Amino acid sequence: MAQPQKVVLAYSGGLDTSVIAKWLSVERGLEVVTFTADLGQGEEIEPARAKARAMGIPDDHIFIEDVREEFVRDFVFPMMRANARYEGDYLLGTSIARPLISKRLVEIAHQTGADFIAHGATGKGNDQVRFELSAYALDPDIKVIAPWREWDLTSRTSLIAWAEAHQIQVPRDKRGDSPFSTDANLLHTSSEGKVLEDPWEETPDYVYSRTVNPEDAPDQPEYITIDFEKGDGVALNGAAMSAATLLAALNDLGRKHGIGRLDLVENRFVGMKSRGMYETPGGEIYARAHRGIEQITLDRGAAHLKDELMPKYAELIYNGFWFSPEREMLQAAIDHSQDKVTGTVRLKLYKGLASVVGRKSPYSLYSEAHVTFEDDAGAYDQKDAEGFIKLNGLRLRLLSRRNRDA
Amino acid sequence: MAQPQKVVLAYSGGLDTSVIAKWLSVERGLEVVTFTADLGQGEEIEPARAKARAMGIPDDHIFIEDVREEFVRDFVFPMMRANARYEGDYLLGTSIARPLISKRLVEIAHQTGADFIAHGATGKGNDQVRFELSAYALDPDIKVIAPWREWDLTSRTSLIAWAEAHQIQVPRDKRGDSPFSTDANLLHTSSEGKVLEDPWEETPDYVYSRTVNPEDAPDQPEYITIDFEKGDGVALNGAAMSAATLLAALNDLGRKHGIGRLDLVENRFVGMKSRGMYETPGGEIYARAHRGIEQITLDRGAAHLKDELMPKYAELIYNGFWFSPEREMLQAAIDHSQDKVTGTVRLKLYKGLASVVGRKSPYSLYSEAHVTFEDDAGAYDQKDAEGFIKLNGLRLRLLSRRNRDA
Amino acid sequence: MAQPQKVVLAYSGGLDTSVIAKWLSVERGLEVVTFTADLGQGEEIEPARAKARAMGIPDDHIFIEDVREEFVRDFVFPMMRANARYEGDYLLGTSIARPLISKRLVEIAHQTGADFIAHGATGKGNDQVRFELSAYALDPDIKVIAPWREWDLTSRTSLIAWAEAHQIQVPRDKRGDSPFSTDANLLHTSSEGKVLEDPWEETPDYVYSRTVNPEDAPDQPEYITIDFEKGDGVALNGAAMSAATLLAALNDLGRKHGIGRLDLVENRFVGMKSRGMYETPGGEIYARAHRGIEQITLDRGAAHLKDELMPKYAELIYNGFWFSPEREMLQAAIDHSQDKVTGTVRLKLYKGLASVVGRKSPYSLYSEAHVTFEDDAGAYDQKDAEGFIKLNGLRLRLLSRRNRDA
Amino acid sequence: MAQPQKVVLAYSGGLDTSVIAKWLSVERGLEVVTFTADLGQGEEIEPARAKARAMGIPDDHIFIEDVREEFVRDFVFPMMRANARYEGDYLLGTSIARPLISKRLVEIAHQTGADFIAHGATGKGNDQVRFELSAYALDPDIKVIAPWREWDLTSRTSLIAWAEAHQIQVPRDKRGDSPFSTDANLLHTSSEGKVLEDPWEETPDYVYSRTVNPEDAPDQPEYITIDFEKGDGVALNGAAMSAATLLAALNDLGRKHGIGRLDLVENRFVGMKSRGMYETPGGEIYARAHRGIEQITLDRGAAHLKDELMPKYAELIYNGFWFSPEREMLQAAIDHSQDKVTGTVRLKLYKGLASVVGRKSPYSLYSEAHVTFEDDAGAYDQKDAEGFIKLNGLRLRLLSRRNRDA
């Protein structure tokens, strides 16, 4: 008898992916390997082990890993170097986690001899695309199973019935419909669906989980500093820390001061609009700080080129093209610009605001000698401006003359 | 004897441009025509008439105009349609006013038979470029005089001495150096220089003039609505109002809630970095509201193209190229996108934050039927996603295979 | 009994679409309406009428139209205003014809009360995408049938067998495999497949149908002029002619001189590479002439913006997004630039080369007074260049100093 | 007595730069160091030594170098990786040589203790900008002397009179006005001025020096192959050769077949249009070959990103910003894409045409299995196309419905 084929499942330990694990085994006849990652979602991941065991998955088929450091160092920070915001605002908290998960799924597939990977994303969202494009980019022969696109357990009732019929424990709070759904990692928590579906209605306060309401935040502002080296954060208030530790510490600060809430109607890659609520407390602080240090360390040419490239870069990440030549090309350009993005930014945190109030750097390009209203001791000859304007204006004058005379 | 040639001066009524007016007459032998515009800078402009008269300028050489409505309708709002922010943040409050002033200077020059225009911008800043490029674009033969680049009155002491020697009244508060310099109009107030010159030092509170400190703003949030039609704001809280009236009303709201402060180190067109403090209370609210209404009324293709074009568009305005073919081309593209940008945005104002909390439109592209987790009655076939992903991924798989096999 | 539903088929009169017409009727139970367009493909379209009749299609279900003028005026020329070339070379001859066909299919569907449209494009190519995206953009409820993606007549043998079984006449030359397949219209002929499938092998001479081999072209060059008005060609050698007439005349010239052959490996939207041979005789001449007239009539700002936007514009057309907001936005920008693109271009045609050798315009921006090495009588002050360079270089000097001192 | 300061002059050995050398010494009291580079301009550079000596310049102040290999390897080839063409056509032959010359001028200045560099470019052209921006980027304190912007020897007559008065030999053919001026290096020869100043007049045949007239080229086509490794040419017809040797060999081929002539009206950075005639025989062949090898080795995402970035990249080089952060960022992106741009291109050269007729690569992404009309053995599922189109079209349908219903 042929050995059953293997599938590596992105397994959260929750009800949905537990049903998927069972379904892959029962309905598709596959041997299931689970991968559970600690991306900083704020929940214990060890319970996933017991749940996997309870479904009969052998220990050597259960992969549980803390990838927080890799996540921030190799995915979040490179993205932050680009000042990436999708559609002007969204810090891409969900989008940036998917490629890492896919990368590990594919690696574990290779390690365990699996031909398949599987995920629990639905057929309406962006995450399926991100999971699958990442996987295809890393292994052209990998096969992907997306049960939500295939099965008929499309209502909560049918899903729960199937779970119970297959001895999967259904937590009491999962029996009814949840009023919204969430995704969380060290960078952000997103919420969407149900109570958020009318974009005219304000998001109810109970949807927020990662930040206090700005109205409940401290009445006193708090000042902090972040140190950067070559474009990446390395210290908070002078204390050196790892990438993930820094982001976690900024999350605590952001939570306390109600920073990083975003109510957005965005355009999904699959063609529809959706309304989401994002909380990116540390990320929002970090993003503003990064722009702050760039203000004095990046040359205008580099800064403007980065701004021009950013929308495309953000779109690539949002659409799932992290592992694509064009994202890597843009990253190469962006990274090239960060060599001297080193120094310290001071921010004021207050009731939802994270404001850069100071920045300094050993590599500062800011020249008080040039900008001062005072006598600048020859640093700058104001008469140069005349020629500068004259030649910048020459084509406009030729045009104006042509249009007048014609 | 030859008639003296005429010059039209952008005249604020302040000390500096009064000295310039006199200097143009005394040192350059020109007949001076003054143009004073109410751009919403918050100061009376009529006093400029008396000051001009006091220097012997005849009444028919004194032009004093309220251009607030034109400013907001024809310059600020078109720019806002583009969601323009220079270097990620700056709402271009000074940049957008200069082309209008130049336009009137040139028009008055034609009307009065003047060959010259003059302005009071220094040789280190962007404003000289904006004034002059605009003028050259509108009249290829206009001649521009920029006294700050030419004369030797480069210290405050020498300027005041010259003023007194020529019977120009020097206000007491202009005798010493001012701790910073400002520019103001209906869109914003900018401050720069002196106490702001060290970008590591936080801006002192006394620099702000248009907004309360968020810490002093009301403890209760305030909700407002803004109505848009074809991309432009037309009503506040349901009350229709003109462009300038709307922006003024938003300024009052922004001032009260401490909204729109920005501390920025930016790159000037002339090649140096400068640190500025901007207050754009109404503009910040308006800009966020405009993005809010676009979220539900703009198609993704239009929205993303706008985002890609924005940095260049903002740079053009910052650098003084409002009257250029490329700005007009971009405007044509942007304006084409705004035809259905109509509807209502609801915002929450609170201690420096202006957050979009709801948006609705008769032209909404948001489809609850498509996005819902519930059964969508056939609006969307999840199975389509498979083919979508497969073909989006095909090139990545071919690439991955090539890289593996090579 | 329910009335059968109707489908409007893009019908060439050839074997494949005849089989499709029958198949839609027999297998899908639809009432077939045919649409046959003269796009300048160089074949009679009237025979399609007899063939349709022979399949039992009633006269009022047979639509045969000459759309050449609309094709060139409303599709080809607007695209040429953008100097569009996909992947640096391809003049988009096939891509630009599809939206027009879809537009007529949808219009005829509305006119005849049809719910469906159908086309004969395969599931591997770009044309299916272009047909369908255009249709969806024009009618969100239209339903599209693409038999090549659905049926099992995927080999030539099975197709011919089905045809004969259903009394469709199979021309002798369609019985065997054709060595390549073609698409033609007034702008170009494309060939692909079979003998072209190895991109290392040179295209055999018998593949070409629209141009003589340059080696067989006249030994004497021929000079022509094309007149443009507002960006569009209006006259050849001084003789005014309509858009389609002009393109046809240029095709004759291009054919004679062996102009416009292109051997390309291109990237399809569906994710694979394909190798095609294009002949665009008149289009190549026209495209070069258009650039020629722009050289003297477009300002640099407009010209460079156009060049930056072009790749995206071309990609949109190639991918089937002619009827999209972003293509229309780009078109608005491009069209805005063409207002003064008026004048005459002189070209030399010789053995595959179409070279611009002269251009003149009442709106020329070229100023001999400025460019001359001779004394320019004050048109240009060379000393202005110093300030221009100094300020353009200021940021580079600050950067260089920073990098040296750091 | 103070030591005179030193200046390093870009010295061609021709009349103009000889006059400059003398003028710098006589009028500016500087000690002159000359730098003469063999960039492949096709003239001996050793005679410059004797001429410099004749002006009394000591041997250790005379620098004569063959930089052809560096020129092609470090400047031309990197630029060719980007497929750079300014304003759609110009291969940037002059622009790309200037940074190298400036780099050596600055290096020699450091080596010899010079504070100044000098060049012989006029105040109307782009070259002054390229020389000076490059120099400032490499040494923020370098001082540049551009005699043509400063002196009064602005007519040929006065220049020759000054030369004779200072014992500089004036060649007979330099006594009258030359009918046009040229610049040459291994990549190209450019000609402009005088007989070329009317853009309506065809360039006279005697202007060309690097190519035969296509009409005089061989009647038989010639086939060649070029091998590429990681984006750079490495062999001609299978024979490995250095960068400069390859380009020289292609120049010979291009000359023989009349390839690479370009008549262009272009936009100078200083604001005016100029008309130039370029001959880039080897460069044109190389540029087409490079695109040919990219066609099969570059993924679409990389290829399209390159096409989008190219106009800006070309503009930067044209404007003199080779040594700028933004050019380097773009280069980093471009170079990242070239890792697998390896293989062989076959071209047909015939009477001005250089046509790619074949390309092959061990890293080819072209998949006959995917593209074939034949049964593809499961490589591609045509049914995937339906979902692909449906979801690409979803936003267009939502838009269409909105526009219809509103």
Side-chain angles (χ1 to χ4, degrees), chain D residues 158-209:
Chain D
S158 60
L159 185 83
I160 288 171
W162 198 95
E164 292 180 335
H166 292 83
Q167 286 77 47
I168 297 169
Q169 210 184 339
V170 180
R172 184 174 304 267
D173 67 340
K174 298 290 178 187
R175 296 199 163 265
D177 273 4
S178 131
F180 56 93
S181 78
T182 64
D183 173 67
N185 59 47
L186 200 52
L187 182 53
H188 92 338
T189 295
S190 68
S191 307
E192 56 180 19
K194 301 281 165 45
V195 301
L196 299 171
E197 282 185 6
D198 179 350
W200 176 245
E201 290 300 319
E202 188 173 3
T203 303
D205 207 57
Y206 63 78
V207 172
Y208 300 99
S209 61

Side-chain angles (χ1 to χ4, degrees), chain C residues 225-227 233-242 245-246 249:
Chain C
T225 62
I226 303 178
D227 291 348
V234 295
L236 175 63
N237 292 327
M241 48 188 78
S242 75
T245 314
L246 174 58

Side-chain angles (χ1 to χ4, degrees), chain D residues 136-159:
Chain D
Y136 291 142
L138 296 171
D139 180 349
D141 299 323
I142 201 77
K143 296 185 190 74
V144 183
I145 304 173
W148 282 105
R149 294 201 303 256
E150 300 187 18
W151 67 21
D152 51 3
L153 308 177
T154 52
S155 71
R156 192 117 296 253
T157 317
S158 60
L159 185 83

